[in-house]
Amino acid sequence: MQDITFNDHSGLRYLPEYFARASQEALLEAVRSVVAEAPLYQPAMPRTGKPFSVKMSNCGPLGWVSDIKGYRYQPLHPDTGRPWPAMPDQLKDLWSTLAPDAPPAEACLINFYQASARMGQHQDRDEDMFDAPVISVSLGDTATFRVGGTNRKDPTRSFRLNSGDVVVLGGEARLAYHGIDRVLAGTSTLLKNGGRINLTLRRVTAA
Ligand code: MD3
Ligand code: FE
């Protein structure tokens, strides 16, 4: 674990290599057991039903899902109909360390990117409250991440998210536009078959 190396005025806090390799491996094992119980599913765009290039699962009491009917949080896996698995202790600890004043996280979205996957610029606003930050953990191949401001037309900047990096989006940055432009294949040995996993922790309901 290392010190904060980037903490901007808007509330974006970047913690490169927050998790060392051994912790990344332990976290990956925890994610594998979640996905064994709650398999990655294929989300689709509201209205059009166009499939996402990213596959998803969740852990914690609520999970974020998207299908032709819309975006929402729900307690059950859309394919299996079972509750999402519990949030691993490493993620609960991460939340209490980096968001000590917030109520507990309720949702951890698991995004799985293969080499060609992308995530277009969007805001995270399906939650009932924006006081708590969003905390993101990257595992596996490096991605180029782009973040702007709270208006779609605000200038953006781009930086790389490597395996073990953590980003905390609090304050004004909580509602900033952001997305993943590309995944750089072959940049990490963490996932045997390559690809990238992003874990995003969120508080959904008002405390
Ligand atoms: C900036 N995930 O799941 S994580 C998402 O890498 C999402 O999978 C991306 O955007 C990923 O919604 C980016 C970093 C991140 C997460 C939430 C944010 C950046 C954010 C919320 C506000 C501003
Ligand atoms: Fe997002």
Side-chain angles (χ1 to χ4, degrees):
M1 197 193 293
Q2 61 184 60
D3 285 346
I4 302 163
T5 56
F6 187 86
N7 197 176
D8 87 358
H9 58 85
S10 74
L12 186 156
R13 191 174 171 199
Y14 174 49
L15 300 118
E17 262 184 88
Y18 184 92
F19 289 107
R21 177 73 183 214
S23 307
Q24 294 173 36
E25 286 168 359
L27 197 47
L28 179 62
E29 266 325 292
V31 171
R32 287 199 194 292
S33 28
V34 166
V35 169
E37 215 179 307
L40 292 168
Y41 79 97
Q42 174 70 73
M45 287 298 289
R47 298 191 318 278
T48 63
K50 184 180 187 281
F52 283 31
S53 59
V54 177
K55 305 268 190 303
M56 297 181 171
S57 187
N58 290 272
C59 55
L62 291 172
W64 187 88
V65 299
S66 182
D67 61 20
I68 198 152
K69 293 177 286 181
Y71 305 134
R72 63 194 173 276
Y73 282 92
Q74 62 179 45
L76 305 177
H77 190 293
D79 293 343
T80 68
R82 291 177 16 204
W84 302 108
M87 215 178 280
D89 286 340
Q90 295 106 308
L91 296 177
K92 289 186 186 165
D93 293 348
L94 178 73
W95 183 266
S96 52
T97 302
L98 296 180
D101 301 327
E106 293 170 300
C108 174
L109 173 63
I110 300 167
N111 291 327
F112 178 67
Y113 294 77
Q114 277 170 315
S116 58
R118 311 251 183 289
M119 189 176 285
Q121 291 291 116
H122 65 277
Q123 290 175 296
D124 290 10
R125 44 183 330 145
D126 299 319
E127 299 74 31
D128 294 337
M129 65 104 119
F130 306 121
D131 313 10
V134 173
I135 299 182
S136 145
V137 184
S138 294
L139 295 172
D141 285 334
T142 297
T144 49
F145 170 70
R146 198 150 47 82
V147 60
T150 51
N151 292 301
R152 198 179 271 284
K153 289 173 181 163
D154 289 340
T156 62
R157 60 199 152 113
S158 178
F159 54 99
R160 288 179 176 200
L161 294 179
N162 299 312
S163 196
D165 291 358
V166 168
V167 187
V168 184
L169 294 311
E172 198 187 318
R174 174 68 183 74
L175 288 170
Y177 277 88
H178 61 280
I180 295 293
D181 289 340
R182 58 190 242 97
V183 173
L184 308 173
T187 46
S188 167
T189 56
L190 189 72
L191 307 188
K192 279 142 293 277
N193 297 318
R196 170 174 186 265
I197 294 171
N198 182 263
L199 308 172
T200 312
L201 294 144
R202 297 186 181 86
R203 178 73 194 187
V204 178
T205 66

